[in-house]
Amino acid sequence: MNDSPGWATPGSSPSDGEGSPGTQPPAGGSGTDSKWSAEQPPPGQWSSPTPGHTPPNPQQPPAPQPGAGWGSYGTGPQNGWGAHTQAVKPGVIPLRPLGLGEILDGAVSTMRKHWRAVLPITLIVAVVVQLASVLTQKYLFADLVVDASSSGPGKEELESFGSLVGVSALDGFIQLVGSIVATAMLTMIFSRAVLGHGSSIGAAWREARPQLLRLFGLTLLLGIGSAVLFTVLVLPGALAGQAALAILGGLAALGVILWLWIKFALASPALMLEQTTVRKAFVRSSKLVKGSWWRIFGITLLTGVITTLLSGLIVLPLTVVGGLVFGGGLEGMADGTGATSWGYLISTGIGGVIALTITMPVQAGVTVLLYVDQRIRREALDLELARAAGIENYGTATPPTGG
């Protein structure tokens, strides 16, 4: 790892068959678990294991020395990574295993402290995404031909449906590209915020750009893989005309897809911050999530619920106002004419821009901080982060003198 925002794996990753630098395998361990830290204390209990040692005041962490760079730490029994005396906080999170509140607070704190870099990125992406959505609804759905009197689809209806599918695909592609670019740049900003460093839009773009194509490929693989898995499990029942079998296959597919999405939830930050390949990013995520699937699922689900509720609180009032004022009221919304009026579309578009601008960095930040948390718990990444932040002698403890 270096002191730039892109973190390389400290030493070799567990998947490479080696542990973190400066760490020793836990005694009596076996398999891959012996290569990861088994001695990390739970959140809020980051204290020195040395008997009789009194940790210094947590409000007065060791002052970084100018030019200290990475710093150093010992590798003996008293000076290894297991001898932390306190959890310092150079940036938006303390350097120890994180609790749920600290992960959410870290994401929000980064938005607040580094808003000049965060908000313009999400605002631009949100405007582009909502503009594409508004134009699609205005010029496509308004021209969609639906003739309920005919017994079968006519030529015009088929052409309209084909146009709908094509333009909707283009709209989805624009949203996909926008979200990938935003996620990549936000990942770099959050990585700097963990170290207490500021960032800029230009710096975030330069650091994220080399991995953008790989991140795009990773995202497509997840989406295509999910679609293929769903099709394979549902198609036999559908072809056999067995609705119950098709439903059962669909439920099984959803369960497997959910499991895989959480298993690979940390692949994106691993890809960006370790500057690795797509395959290795999937492997890294699988290693980091192993044994913590339910915890990561719970935090991810809670974050989704919070951001969804927040988006609803922003979008719903503007949608109602747009429908009543510009959409011809309840009558216009019922017959569909109000949903394609400029006033209604602009009103809902503004709500969507505001909601995306606020929720996008929260979701990206939680994912990055979950990645950091898992590496702290399993690979003692806090040592690397402390040295990158310029904190000297972090993780060392002086053995108590006799007396």
Side-chain angles (χ1 to χ4, degrees):
M1 175 180 167
N2 52 36
D3 56 357
S4 68
W7 305 326
T9 311
S12 299
S13 67
S15 59
D16 297 327
E18 298 179 9
S20 304
T23 65
Q24 299 296 328
S30 62
T32 57
D33 290 340
S34 66
K35 300 165 188 171
W36 287 347
S37 165
E39 303 177 14
Q40 295 284 2
Q45 300 180 13
W46 195 274
S47 57
S48 171
T50 308
H53 177 74
T54 302
N57 186 344
Q59 301 298 326
Q60 299 177 356
Q65 299 297 321
W70 291 100
S72 61
Y73 64 96
T75 57
Q78 301 296 333
N79 292 330
W81 60 262
H84 297 288
T85 59
Q86 61 181 321
V88 297
K89 188 177 180 180
V92 294
I93 59 169
L95 300 185
R96 57 167 169 75
L98 304 174
L100 169 62
E102 290 167 329
I103 291 175
L104 294 173
D105 179 70
V108 175
S109 295
T110 302
M111 289 179 57
R112 186 177 66 251
K113 294 179 180 179
H114 305 283
W115 63 269
R116 288 183 178 86
V118 172
L119 294 185
I121 293 173
T122 56
L123 178 61
I124 292 173
V125 172
V127 168
V128 172
V129 168
Q130 289 301 314
L131 182 61
S133 179
V134 166
L135 293 177
T136 299
Q137 294 180 61
K138 177 62 180 178
Y139 292 109
L140 182 63
F141 288 102
D143 297 333
L144 184 61
V145 177
V146 178
D147 186 2
S149 62
S150 60
S151 58
K155 182 178 180 181
E156 289 188 4
E157 290 175 322
L158 291 176
E159 291 178 352
S160 297
F161 181 76
S163 300
L164 173 63
V165 172
V167 177
S168 297
L170 178 60
D171 184 25
F173 180 77
I174 293 174
Q175 295 186 34
L176 176 65
V177 172
S179 64
I180 289 174
V181 172
T183 298
M185 297 177 68
L186 290 173
T187 298
M188 297 305 176
I189 293 173
F190 274 94
S191 69
R192 283 183 170 272
V194 167
L195 303 176
H197 298 165
S199 187
S200 65
I201 298 175
W205 169 250
R206 288 192 297 271
E207 291 155 2
R209 184 174 56 190
Q211 292 292 95
L212 277 178
L213 286 179
R214 287 178 174 175
L215 182 59
F216 187 79
L218 184 149
T219 306
L220 281 182
L221 280 177
L222 285 174
I224 294 174
S226 299
V228 170
L229 179 61
F230 188 84
T231 302
V232 167
L233 292 180
V234 173
L235 193 59
L239 292 177
Q242 299 292 328
L245 182 60
I247 293 174
L248 183 62
L251 293 176
L254 291 177
V256 175
I257 290 170
L258 175 61
W259 178 75
L260 289 174
W261 272 83
I262 299 300
K263 182 181 178 69
F264 299 132
L266 306 183
S268 173
L271 179 79
M272 298 303 300
L273 297 178
E274 297 180 22
Q275 301 291 301
T276 185
T277 63
V278 173
R279 184 187 67 82
K280 289 183 179 179
F282 281 126
V283 173
R284 287 289 287 148
S285 179
S286 179
K287 292 284 187 179
L288 292 173
V289 172
K290 184 179 181 181
S292 300
W293 190 96
W294 284 107
R295 177 175 180 270
I296 294 174
F297 167 72
I299 294 176
T300 303
L301 177 62
L302 180 61
T303 302
V305 171
I306 292 174
T307 54
T308 300
L309 290 176
L310 182 58
S311 296
L313 291 174
I314 295 171
V315 174
L316 184 59
L318 289 173
T319 301
V320 172
V321 170
L324 294 177
V325 177
F326 305 106
L330 297 177
E331 182 180 349
M333 298 304 296
D335 60 22
T337 58
T340 56
S341 66
W342 277 115
Y344 172 81
L345 292 175
I346 292 175
S347 178
T348 55
I350 291 174
V353 167
I354 297 173
L356 276 177
T357 302
I358 295 175
T359 60
M360 196 184 300
V362 173
Q363 292 176 320
V366 167
T367 301
V368 173
L369 295 181
L370 273 174
Y371 164 84
V372 174
D373 174 56
Q374 287 301 109
R375 287 195 61 184
I376 288 176
R377 292 170 183 269
R378 300 196 167 188
E379 301 173 357
L381 182 66
D382 53 311
L383 289 176
E384 303 296 328
L385 296 176
R387 288 184 289 170
I391 300 174
E392 187 178 10
N393 297 325
Y394 175 81
T396 63
T398 304
T401 58

